[in-house]
Amino acid sequence: AFEIDGLIVDPGPASCLETLIERLGATVPRALLLTHIHLDHAGAAGVLCRRYPHLQVYVHERGARHLADPSRLLASAERLYGDAMAELWGEVAPVPEERIRPLAGGETVEGFRVAYTPGHASHHVAYLHEDSGDAYVGDVAGVRMPPYTLTVAPTPPPDIDLDAWLDSLHTIAGWSPRSLCLTHFGQVTDVAEHMHRVRCALTEQADWARLDGEERFISKLEDRLVEGTD
């Protein structure tokens, strides 16, 4: 999670809430900026609204109804995570509808420029903090564990769209951001090189997905992870 002047970008799941509250200290957040509604990014939104009665929640309009009623989101996640749901995510509470601020892309809110950036998810947005030039990009700019340069494109089912994803990367590059703030895991400043690695990861993983069978895809990805880290 990132905190900027009382705004929280992607607060994470309720299973991590104790750490988030501790790190906030005396700060009372006034709004959440959600890049998308996947549970690892937005799962704690409803619980945080219960804790902070004036908290507002910005989210793409396609994700708004699933915050107000997370039943379909939870049913989809349960297919992947089964009995591990509670341990991984904790409580997923609904967000009161009157607190939800739907976005379409193209707005400026709370000092952030908003862009619609689908590909990883059809309801994904990214935020450019205009004062600093830092871009908060959720999952659309990949997953990376600094100091390693290895970058992986997170491609969970069901609504991956490779063409839209590449277009979204072009949108973010058009901002000429000073840095990319990745939800997973941290801030990177080698922006052009990182964006190139994301594009390469996307096309490479798409090629692996066309191979015969799931096991070959997994094997290729595991090999790349071992090559790129210790």
Side-chain angles (χ1 to χ4, degrees):
F2 294 92
E3 185 270 324
I4 311 97
D5 300 327
L7 305 165
I8 301 175
V9 182
D10 285 353
S15 56
C16 299
L17 201 56
E18 186 176 319
T19 302
L20 179 64
I21 299 301
E22 178 186 327
R23 295 299 179 90
L24 283 172
T27 299
V28 176
R30 68 178 187 273
L32 305 180
L33 303 180
L34 304 181
T35 61
H36 59 303
I37 63 169
H38 291 169
L39 297 179
D40 55 327
H41 293 254
V47 177
L48 284 166
C49 282
R50 195 165 63 210
R51 184 182 181 98
Y52 300 108
H54 301 293
L55 193 68
Q56 306 297 304
V57 182
Y58 292 94
V59 65
H60 188 263
E61 57 194 6
R62 290 189 178 184
R65 64 190 177 99
H66 297 294
L67 290 183
D69 177 7
S71 56
R72 286 185 63 187
L73 179 65
L74 290 171
S76 177
E78 282 169 2
R79 292 172 61 189
L80 287 173
Y81 302 111
D83 294 340
M85 285 285 291
E87 179 185 2
L88 287 171
W89 315 124
E91 180 186 2
V92 181
V95 174
E97 286 192 51
E98 66 273 13
R99 309 265 206 99
I100 298 173
R101 300 289 176 264
L103 302 168
E107 305 92 344
T108 298
V109 297
E110 306 278 0
F112 287 80
R113 202 182 310 171
V114 183
Y116 178 46
T117 51
H120 170 80
S122 61
H123 59 279
H124 198 292
V125 294
Y127 301 92
L128 178 70
H129 187 232
E130 294 192 307
D131 285 350
S132 66
D134 297 327
Y136 294 82
V137 292
D139 279 346
V140 77
V143 170
R144 174 178 169 186
M145 295 183 181
Y148 298 113
T149 60
L150 174 72
T151 304
V152 176
T155 53
D159 57 351
I160 298 298
D161 185 326
L162 293 178
D163 290 336
W165 199 326
L166 291 168
D167 287 344
S168 294
L169 292 174
H170 183 71
T171 297
I172 291 169
W175 280 342
S176 299
R178 179 182 75 99
S179 77
L180 302 172
C181 298
L182 313 175
T183 304
H184 314 290
F185 298 89
Q187 186 178 34
V188 298
T189 55
D190 55 335
V191 174
E193 295 89 346
H194 180 88
M195 295 291 273
H196 175 68
R197 287 192 291 269
V198 179
R199 294 185 194 96
C200 291
L202 265 180
T203 54
E204 184 174 56
Q205 287 170 222
D207 288 341
W208 295 344
R210 296 183 184 99
L211 298 173
D212 240 358
E214 180 180 345
E215 292 305 317
R216 288 191 67 193
F217 177 87
I218 293 171
S219 175
K220 288 282 191 182
L221 186 55
E222 287 178 343
D223 288 347
R224 180 51 45 85
L225 294 175
V226 171
E227 291 167 8
T229 71
D230 62 2

